[in-house]
Amino acid sequence: GAVVSQHPSRVICKSGTSVKIECRSLDFQATTMFWYRQFPKQSLMLMATSNEGSKATYEQGVEKDKFLINHASLTLSTLTVTSAHPEDSSFYICSAPSSRGSQETQYFGPGTRLLVL
Amino acid sequence: GENVEQHPSTLSVQEGDSAVIKCTYSDSASNYFPWYKQELGKGPQLIIDIRSNVGEKKDQRIAVTLNKTAKHFSLHITETQPEDSAVYFCAAGGYQKVTFGIGTKLQVIP
């Protein structure tokens, strides 16, 4: 299947600092990528849709000024958690759709574990 | 929007037995139903998916069934092995955007 990478895999930061997470599609181009957040023992919740060349679309309840998304190229989307607080500690996962043959499928990155102290 | 319910939340089976996980969805417009396996500390891995024009799909020990009339779909794992132990998520929606179920923690006991 298609490969999606994330960097870093885990990050620890102090409260009030900003953290940038990268999501890359390694062997395909993605005009759209998705960012999810997963709290311990819970499901994945979609935060926003990242669109190459245009503004991201945020889900209801997600603060766009706190979670900045930039889709700079067809293979890279970044999520910046600004002024992070302990409640932002979570597992952040990105995904990108890829067509294999005639069918499109979502492929997920390995996730980034964020711990805000 | 779409609402996906998944059960059971936990499932323990003996090695070699079968495991079944069931999901229901609410939006009749949903036409894509993937299943993901997530191991501890890792991102979800697609294990099988089914589209609305198909009622059943099988890949070795894994099979998925879809009943669009009743709006439910199920994952069947036969001849379970210890390495099948993980959290399994169903999802429903379109190819671009899906809503996830709560997850099922499967434990295969050797």
Side-chain angles (χ1 to χ4, degrees):
Chain A
V3 180
V4 175
S5 71
Q6 282 184 241
H7 177 81
S9 58
R10 59 179 61 194
V11 57
I12 301 173
C13 69
K14 293 182 179 179
S15 184
T17 60
S18 294
V19 174
K20 180 185 285 188
I21 303 170
E22 294 184 347
C23 177
R24 293 181 185 273
S25 55
L26 296 184
D27 54 354
F28 65 101
Q29 293 183 333
T31 56
T32 303
M33 292 183 177
F34 301 90
W35 286 97
Y36 293 84
R37 181 167 52 184
Q38 185 179 33
F39 291 108
K41 297 184 180 181
Q42 294 190 22
S43 188
L44 286 77
M45 299 301 294
L46 180 65
M47 297 175 65
T49 302
S50 174
N51 304 298
E52 191 269 335
S54 64
K55 292 183 179 179
T57 305
Y58 290 82
E59 296 299 303
Q60 191 174 8
V62 178
E63 299 176 59
K64 62 179 181 180
D65 294 330
K66 180 170 184 61
F67 298 99
L68 301 180
I69 291 173
N70 185 292
H71 200 136
S73 74
L74 288 172
T75 59
L76 173 64
S77 174
T78 60
L79 169 68
T80 300
V81 183
T82 63
S83 186
H85 288 96
E87 57 265 31
D88 298 323
S89 298
S90 188
F91 194 46
Y92 292 86
I93 309 171
C94 69
S95 74
S98 175
S99 296
R100 282 292 184 262
S102 61
Q103 296 185 331
E104 192 171 81
T105 301
Q106 286 282 345
Y107 292 93
F108 284 80
T112 297
R113 178 76 60 189
L114 171 63
L115 176 61
V116 184
L117 302 177
Chain B
E2 178 63 274
N3 181 46
V4 178
E5 295 189 358
Q6 180 174 350
H7 61 94
S9 56
T10 60
L11 178 60
S12 291
V13 299
Q14 291 289 331
E15 181 178 359
D17 288 349
S18 295
V20 180
I21 303 171
K22 299 183 178 181
C23 289
T24 61
Y25 63 99
S26 61
D27 189 349
S28 58
S30 291
N31 57 10
Y32 178 57
F33 308 90
W35 286 88
Y36 293 90
K37 175 183 181 181
Q38 187 179 30
E39 297 177 339
L40 191 63
K42 298 183 179 180
Q45 295 292 314
L46 178 72
I47 57 172
I48 195 168
D49 58 12
I50 191 167
R51 286 157 171 88
S52 60
N53 59 344
V54 176
E56 185 175 357
K57 184 177 178 180
K58 188 175 182 179
D59 182 5
Q60 298 183 350
R61 297 186 296 109
I62 296 173
V64 58
T65 60
L66 171 65
N67 183 328
K68 287 219 73 179
T69 302
K71 295 195 186 69
H72 64 69
F73 55 115
S74 302
L75 177 72
H76 303 249
I77 305 175
T78 59
E79 300 173 29
T80 54
Q81 302 168 3
E83 51 265 36
D84 294 329
S85 297
V87 178
Y88 291 81
F89 291 96
C90 64
Y95 303 129
Q96 291 275 319
K97 185 175 179 179
V98 293
T99 299
F100 284 82
I102 195 67
T104 296
K105 185 176 182 180
L106 173 64
Q107 181 183 18
V108 180
I109 303 168

